[in-house]
Amino acid sequence: MSDPVLLVIAHGSRDPRHAATVHALVRRVRARRPGLRVETGFLEFNLPSVSGVLKSLAAEGVRDVVGLPLLLNRAFHAKSDIPAVLRAAPPRLRIRQAEVLGPSPLLTAALERRLYEAGLTPGDKSSTGVVLASAGSTDPEAIAVIAEIAREWRRSGWCAVRPAFASASLPRTEDAVRELRDLGCGRVAVAPYVLAPGFLPDRIVRGAAAADVLADVLGPAPEVARVLLERYDEARMPALAAVGA
């Protein structure tokens, strides 16, 4: 029995850096799992569309697909948009929707990787306050998850960790930077909890103007590729269990 096709479902953006980063991440996933068929579809702005990829797979005779939301939080797109487009797929396809990527210790490790790449060292932790800057959401569940990630990350030794949001929620990145200064942290770093560049990540960058360190987006970090494959494996396990029953 062949493995289900992994369909990575990205939001899409008018900013070309977004699609380029998604494709770079997918290349890393393919390199980690040779032989696994990995396709990419976008909800809007970019091609191929999710519906177009699903129609092509059905026309080829593919039967099993795991649709994996390239999202860090389980908010509107994961709860509404993506299930709707998967339900509209050709009926011959058996599709399972994987969980979103976050939260995961691997993503926290990727955040630290980006901070160290930006110039920090593990020895800087106790004197550095970190702004965990996400895109933001109107979904209370998503906001609560970001706050919990910040609390957990603080326990690893940082001076302080504060959540911030580029839209829909408060505080903004610049406000969190100011709060950490007032708290007395020796330096302030901003860690964008976003997967790819675009409009809202650029807002995070502007809000980080008064910070000492600004990390890059998570992008194709190896930890992100690993958690993506973990979510794929979790989604396909029920089918494997049924085969062995």
Side-chain angles (χ1 to χ4, degrees):
M1 177 181 177
S2 61
D3 290 331
V5 172
L6 168 55
L7 173 57
V8 177
I9 303 173
H11 182 272
S13 171
R14 293 187 179 90
D15 188 323
R17 296 173 298 168
H18 175 89
T21 303
V22 170
H23 291 310
L25 173 59
V26 169
R27 286 194 296 272
R28 187 178 285 275
V29 170
R30 290 184 179 126
R32 290 191 66 88
R33 189 74 61 89
L36 173 63
R37 182 172 178 180
V38 186
E39 300 290 343
T40 308
F42 296 89
L43 289 174
E44 54 184 341
F45 300 123
N46 302 104
L47 293 174
S49 67
V50 177
S51 59
V53 174
L54 291 171
K55 289 174 184 175
S56 295
L57 292 173
E60 289 179 32
V62 170
R63 294 298 303 275
D64 293 295
V65 176
V66 170
L68 195 153
L70 196 60
L71 301 169
L72 296 173
N73 265 322
R74 194 172 177 274
F76 179 77
H77 293 302
K79 294 177 179 179
S80 181
D81 286 357
I82 291 175
V85 75
L86 294 181
R87 284 195 300 269
R92 69 166 286 117
L93 292 175
R94 292 190 294 256
I95 303 176
R96 292 181 291 283
Q97 180 177 330
E99 288 296 328
V100 297
L101 301 184
S104 167
L106 286 170
L107 294 178
T108 305
L111 288 166
E112 295 209 355
R113 170 190 291 275
R114 293 303 190 221
L115 286 170
Y116 298 152
E117 290 171 349
L120 292 179
T121 69
D124 295 324
K125 274 190 165 186
S126 63
S127 60
T128 303
V130 179
V131 177
L132 178 68
S134 75
S137 173
T138 57
D139 189 310
E141 178 188 350
I143 298 304
V145 167
I146 297 297
E148 179 60 25
I149 292 170
R151 283 191 292 269
E152 286 294 323
W153 199 14
R154 163 68 181 82
R155 296 190 180 105
S156 70
W158 296 100
C159 173
V161 181
R162 294 291 186 271
F165 308 94
S167 69
S169 308
L170 294 174
R172 295 286 184 258
T173 301
E174 53 268 33
D175 299 325
V177 169
R178 191 178 307 112
E179 180 186 350
L180 290 171
R181 291 272 186 228
D182 293 342
L183 192 63
C185 296
R187 67 177 62 78
V188 176
V190 174
Y193 189 60
V194 294
L195 286 167
F199 177 75
L200 292 178
D202 282 350
R203 185 178 289 176
I204 291 173
V205 171
R206 292 192 295 273
D212 302 296
V213 175
L214 171 62
D216 200 358
V217 299
L218 295 174
E223 295 87 355
V224 179
R226 283 178 59 195
V227 73
L228 198 153
L229 285 168
E230 281 188 1
R231 298 292 182 254
Y232 167 79
D233 288 335
E234 290 163 1
R236 73 189 182 102
M237 284 307 291
L240 295 179
V243 169

